Amino acid sequence: MAIKEKAPAAALAAPAAPSNRLAAARRRLGWTGMACVGVVGAVVLAAVVGQFLAPYDPTVGSVTQRHLGSSAEHLLGTDQAGRDIFSRLLAGARTSLLGPLIVVGATAVAGSALALTAVWFGGKVDAFLGRVLDVLFAFPSLLLAILAVAIFGPGLVTASIALAIAYIPYSARVIRSVALRERSLPYVKAAELQGINGFTITLRHILPNVWTQILTGSTINFGYAIVDLAALSFLGLGIQPPEADWGLMISNGQESLQQGFPEQSLYAGLCIVVTVAAMAYIGERLGGRAAAGRSKS
């Protein structure tokens, strides 16, 4: 009898093959979605190897090279300090993606842990964690980040951790709703009857079945984090000069923009818009904003 009981549980708990999931994702993305994946891949490549491809030091300029136009020597021209804009864009890709990666990683881990804990234990534990998340909901993400920067000082890590804390309730809310449905399915009951402990069931069976939701929500949140961290850098609360960052470049280019030299702000803003749009499209095709706990309003 033991063998007959284990078979259906294993069959129900077995996740889809990775190749099938990948093919399904490609179908949902379509050609436009795959092009967006290519854009994101190019940005990631620039972040990883950009410092080796940059023709100039992104932090060193020259007074005699200020506000030069596009040329063979300076592909996208130079900024108000005589620094090569193309080199700064490549260097800025690293900082502009590293912060959102910290935010998304911390949000996914903490949000999933809270949601799965609440779902498995239920009752008072679920109610308590729900109240904690409600408190976090009361703090706007940028306000919490500004408060953290005011206390601990400006910097990428400080702003990223503060944003991650603000993003956790969004992810936890959606993951909890999906995991709650999985918790009520027969394969979980069958695993419990076989004496498998709750931690093992959650880690080996429930988590793989909500992983797609976690990944989709992370994709959406990544775009939000890029914008929020760029805004903090724009306000001088994130990456500090002379380091390169897309949000900081927009801020630094304000004066040049008024003088008729829009290149720095224009190119940095374009990089943010294209990257965020590509990430948003990928997330929308995979699961929509609901996967990140964000309303469409």
Side-chain angles (χ1 to χ4, degrees):
M1 283 298 293
I3 296 178
K4 290 182 180 180
E5 290 179 357
K6 288 181 180 180
L12 286 169
S19 58
N20 293 339
R21 289 183 175 181
L22 186 60
R26 280 199 298 262
R27 286 194 299 270
R28 297 189 68 176
L29 287 173
W31 289 107
T32 304
M34 294 306 295
C36 289
V37 171
V39 170
V40 174
V43 175
V44 172
L45 183 63
V48 174
V49 302
Q51 57 182 331
F52 305 108
L53 301 178
Y56 298 93
D57 189 329
T59 62
V60 176
S62 172
V63 178
T64 61
Q65 301 289 313
R66 298 174 67 248
H67 294 311
L68 296 181
S70 300
S71 64
E73 187 177 6
H74 297 283
L75 186 62
L76 300 179
T78 60
D79 64 9
Q80 77 284 352
R83 297 169 298 198
D84 183 65
I85 294 177
F86 180 66
S87 298
R88 288 183 63 76
L89 288 175
L90 290 176
R94 183 175 65 255
T95 57
S96 297
L97 294 188
L98 179 59
L101 187 62
I102 295 173
V103 174
V104 168
T107 300
V109 172
S112 300
L114 289 174
L116 293 175
T117 300
V119 166
W120 185 260
F121 290 101
K124 293 182 179 180
V125 174
D126 190 12
F128 172 76
L129 292 178
R131 298 294 80 77
V132 172
L133 295 179
D134 287 341
V135 172
L136 292 178
F137 265 120
F139 292 93
S141 56
L142 279 178
L143 180 60
L144 185 61
I146 291 173
L147 179 62
V149 168
I151 296 174
F152 300 105
L156 179 65
V157 176
T158 301
S160 299
I161 292 176
L163 284 178
I165 294 173
Y167 282 23
I168 285 173
Y170 295 100
S171 295
R173 178 177 65 178
V174 177
I175 296 170
R176 177 189 174 279
S177 65
V178 178
L180 194 61
R181 184 176 66 245
E182 292 292 325
R183 176 76 169 85
S184 64
L185 293 180
Y187 76 85
V188 175
K189 294 294 183 182
E192 287 184 274
L193 290 174
Q194 294 174 36
I196 302 176
N197 63 70
F199 179 80
T200 302
I201 295 173
T202 301
L203 193 64
R204 295 184 58 184
H205 302 303
I206 297 180
L207 181 59
N209 288 322
V210 301
W211 178 249
T212 301
Q213 197 77 13
I214 297 173
L215 182 61
T216 303
S218 297
T219 304
I220 296 289
N221 284 333
F222 198 93
Y224 282 106
I226 290 177
V227 174
D228 286 345
L229 288 173
L232 290 173
S233 293
F234 179 85
L235 296 173
L237 303 177
I239 297 293
Q240 298 297 297
E243 295 298 321
D245 179 80
W246 292 345
L248 184 61
M249 289 178 68
I250 296 176
S251 178
N252 290 340
Q254 287 184 97
E255 184 177 345
S256 300
L257 184 63
Q258 296 173 354
Q259 297 173 358
F261 301 100
E263 290 85 2
Q264 181 177 196
S265 295
L266 177 63
Y267 292 135
L270 188 62
C271 286
I272 293 175
V273 169
V274 171
T275 304
V276 172
M279 293 296 297
Y281 186 86
I282 292 171
E284 288 283 0
R285 294 296 295 177
L286 290 178
R289 294 182 188 176
R294 315 278 182 160
S295 68
K296 291 182 176 289
S297 58

